[in-house]
Amino acid sequence: LNMVAEGGDACGTSPAWCFPFHTIYLLYLWHPDRDWLRALFPHLEAYLTWWLAHRRDEQGWLVYRCTWEAGEDGSPRLDLHGTGHGDIFHQVQPVELQAAVAHSALLLARMARDLRLDGARSDRWANVHRNYTERTRSMWDERGRRFRDRYPTGAPPVSSREQYWGAPADASPLQLTPLLYGVASAPQAAALAARLPDFCRPPWAWWASWTYTVTEAARAAGAYAAAGRMADRVLSSVYPTLDRREEPELGARPGTSCEWW
């Protein structure tokens, strides 16, 4: 827990922000150390259990308490008032959170089997995976050929005219999250992959937490050209920034990085 929302609720960073389960699973695949995984597993399980216990609304959808918790501070897609701390528990059911919980649960089931834990634990997480995969797929907008957040209060979805970091607020790269681990159906994944080039540019190339989502989604979709373009854009920006000799308006001294890198 590292933040406090309106009303005093303790908050923590969500499973959709930088894909912690996916990242840990990649590390395990690169170096399959079961003792390391066995030490981490109880913490991963407790983390996802906490989200299911404290961030599930009355209809069973996963929600954020505030936009700080989402990582996209002040986004009008999630908070119509654009605050960081405002309570949004009942305002929006975000696509990326359903998808992230689905594939995090899938990875817990895989880890439990790899660690030869009792079958009930693996089955529990496999059921969570199926539930939130189905929920995510139900959020598909066939006309727009994309996933859209649900607004249970009946409020209209955020308009494309609303801006967030200079881009349409309804077009967050986090909505590419269903491309990972087969959460999107095959037709949904194909339509979503066609949109990947739209995200290989600023502002989505400015923060590692966004570029990681785009490049991992592109890799999962087999769209290596899009992932390569994003990598080129990031490296072409970050390396000259780190290697500069003057102190820019950002205020970071030469040899140091600004916050987002």
Side-chain angles (χ1 to χ4, degrees), residues 8 27 84 103 130 139 147 153 155 159 166 174 214 228:
L27 290 171
H103 65 65
R130 282 191 291 271
M139 302 171 85
F147 287 98
T153 60
S159 166
L174 296 188
V214 175

Side-chain angles (χ1 to χ4, degrees), residues 122-135:
S122 178
D123 291 346
R124 175 200 174 193
W125 293 115
N127 287 334
V128 172
H129 166 248
R130 282 191 291 271
N131 179 7
Y132 285 95
T133 294
E134 291 172 4
R135 286 176 184 266

Side-chain angles (χ1 to χ4, degrees), residues 36-195:
W36 177 79
L37 187 65
R38 189 174 288 107
L40 278 183
F41 186 84
H43 301 287
L44 295 170
E45 197 170 45
Y47 172 85
L48 204 57
T49 297
W50 187 93
W51 274 84
L52 290 167
H54 297 281
R55 293 296 183 266
R56 191 156 43 174
D57 69 14
E58 295 81 359
Q59 299 174 314
W61 297 88
L62 274 298
V63 293
Y64 299 121
R65 178 59 73 183
C66 63
T67 63
W68 287 340
E69 196 165 63
E72 294 196 317
D73 304 355
S75 169
R77 175 176 73 90
L78 302 170
D79 182 352
L80 300 178
H81 302 293
T83 71
H85 66 281
D87 190 339
I88 59 171
F89 193 93
H90 293 101
Q91 287 185 26
V92 60
Q93 296 157 344
V95 170
E96 71 276 4
L97 192 49
Q98 321 310 313
V101 167
H103 65 65
S104 297
L106 172 67
L107 295 180
L108 277 181
R110 289 183 184 177
M111 292 173 188
R113 287 194 295 270
D114 238 24
L115 294 172
R116 297 181 175 85
L117 302 178
D118 64 88
R121 280 169 98 173
S122 178
D123 291 346
R124 175 200 174 193
W125 293 115
N127 287 334
V128 172
H129 166 248
R130 282 191 291 271
N131 179 7
Y132 285 95
T133 294
E134 291 172 4
R135 286 176 184 266
T136 304
R137 291 180 179 182
S138 74
M139 302 171 85
W140 183 252
D141 174 10
E142 186 60 41
R143 183 177 178 182
R145 308 292 287 163
R146 51 173 289 183
F147 287 98
R148 290 191 183 275
D149 303 317
R150 288 168 49 99
Y151 293 83
T153 60
V158 64
S159 166
S160 296
R161 293 189 297 273
E162 288 275 358
Q163 297 285 296
Y164 186 60
W165 280 78
D170 67 339
S172 169
L174 296 188
Q175 294 176 335
L176 300 171
T177 300
L179 281 171
L180 270 71
Y181 298 100
V183 173
S185 68
Q188 290 170 348
L192 208 57
R195 296 174 58 91

